[in-house]
Amino acid sequence: MTGDIALAAAGGIALLMIVVWLISLAAKDASIVDIVWGLGFVLVAWIAWGRREGGDARSLLVAILTTVWGLRLAGYLAWRNLGKGEDFRYQAMRRRYGSRFGLISLFVVFGLQGVLMWIVSLPVQAASGGPLAWLDWVGVAVWFTGLGFETIGDLQLAAFKRDPKNQGQVLDTGLWRYTRHPNYFGDFCVWWGLYLIAVASGAWWAVVGPAVMTALLMRYSGAGLLEKSIGKRRPGYDEYVRRTNAFFPGPPR
């Protein structure tokens, strides 16, 4: 990764987040940042590809994979969230900060996510050179595994929620029988797969990107955050926890 790619990616992310922040002020809904999360990585991927003269096979491969992942995630979140009101996390922040929330959200919501986006996307920024090697295809296989887990997991969850009989119940079939968070495990695989492609170009140091994403998924904003509250809202969730792996898939106990 060259310095100009890193700077261009940072500039693109900053501009995107400022624009989305302004939209959130008009809409009075900071939740739109969640939808834009995936799109920001798509932007970074094509900035990185475009900053290389003529591009190359590896950066093009990463740009395509990132685009498929980012558009799928953004589309799913838009379908799930738009029209449902602001997420409870941002509502709590809005109550806490009152009239100051608009300005504060620029830094603690949009700015923070922009910084995390730049760090997590390091493998996308760094993957370059060619020709493609065996490690690239291992990375693609891991990426496909992740995309399959999160796509199938999201579809199974959506179908489960559509059935009124499942109101307040726990989904424990399909992929959800083997891991309590197949969608987050899918994201985990996607980003480690992209990292393997970056390693194929010698960018081993980009490991900080998937490492940060793993911490977010497992502890801070993904599975860890959800587990703190879901047990209070789902009867039988404690029993589900006892028999089902938290993150990495495995046979039920």
Side-chain angles (χ1 to χ4, degrees):
M1 181 178 73
T2 60
D4 65 319
I5 291 177
L7 288 174
I13 291 171
L15 180 59
L16 173 67
M17 286 303 183
I18 290 173
V19 170
V20 177
W21 171 67
L22 291 172
I23 295 173
S24 78
L25 295 181
K28 295 182 174 59
D29 186 353
S31 299
I32 59 175
V33 72
D34 297 334
I35 299 172
V36 175
W37 171 255
L39 300 180
F41 291 100
V42 176
L43 175 64
V44 170
W46 290 107
I47 287 175
W49 179 81
R51 296 294 291 185
R52 296 184 175 94
E53 294 184 7
D56 60 68
R58 184 169 287 115
S59 63
L60 179 60
L61 172 64
V62 167
I64 292 172
L65 296 180
T66 304
T67 299
V68 172
W69 172 81
L71 292 181
R72 191 215 72 86
L73 179 62
Y76 172 73
L77 292 178
W79 169 79
R80 189 188 71 178
N81 296 347
L82 289 180
K84 304 292 179 60
E86 190 173 51
D87 185 274
F88 72 93
R89 297 167 297 169
Y90 305 119
Q91 289 182 14
M93 292 177 63
R94 194 178 292 277
R95 289 192 297 269
R96 177 181 178 184
Y97 294 112
S99 61
R100 298 178 296 152
F101 174 75
L103 181 59
I104 289 175
S105 69
L106 173 62
F107 301 98
V108 301
V109 176
F110 296 88
L112 177 59
Q113 290 208 30
V115 171
L116 291 172
M117 187 183 296
W118 186 88
I119 295 172
V120 171
S121 68
L122 286 175
V124 176
Q125 300 177 46
S128 64
L132 299 179
W134 65 269
L135 190 56
D136 292 293
W137 302 117
V138 173
V140 170
V142 174
W143 179 91
F144 266 111
T145 300
L147 188 72
F149 260 86
E150 63 179 32
T151 301
I152 295 172
D154 284 341
L155 290 173
Q156 290 174 341
L157 181 60
F160 181 82
K161 288 183 173 181
R162 279 198 300 269
D163 189 340
K165 294 183 298 184
N166 296 325
Q167 182 70 32
Q169 300 303 306
V170 177
L171 172 58
D172 60 358
T173 58
L175 294 179
W176 301 82
R177 172 177 167 82
Y178 305 101
T179 166
R180 302 201 297 271
H181 303 284
N183 45 357
Y184 294 138
F185 173 73
D187 267 352
F188 168 89
C189 290
V190 162
W191 282 97
W192 283 104
L194 292 173
Y195 171 66
L196 290 177
I197 298 174
V199 170
S201 65
W204 59 266
W205 48 266
V207 67
V208 65
V212 168
M213 177 61 94
T214 299
L216 293 173
L217 291 170
M218 296 183 70
R219 293 184 61 85
Y220 299 109
S221 64
L225 180 63
L226 185 61
E227 294 271 334
K228 290 180 179 179
S229 62
I230 193 170
K232 302 175 182 177
R233 297 181 281 113
R234 294 285 189 272
Y237 195 79
D238 290 342
E239 175 59 29
Y240 177 59
V241 168
R242 282 192 288 270
R243 68 175 184 268
T244 310
N245 282 9
F247 193 82
F248 296 99
R253 293 182 290 275

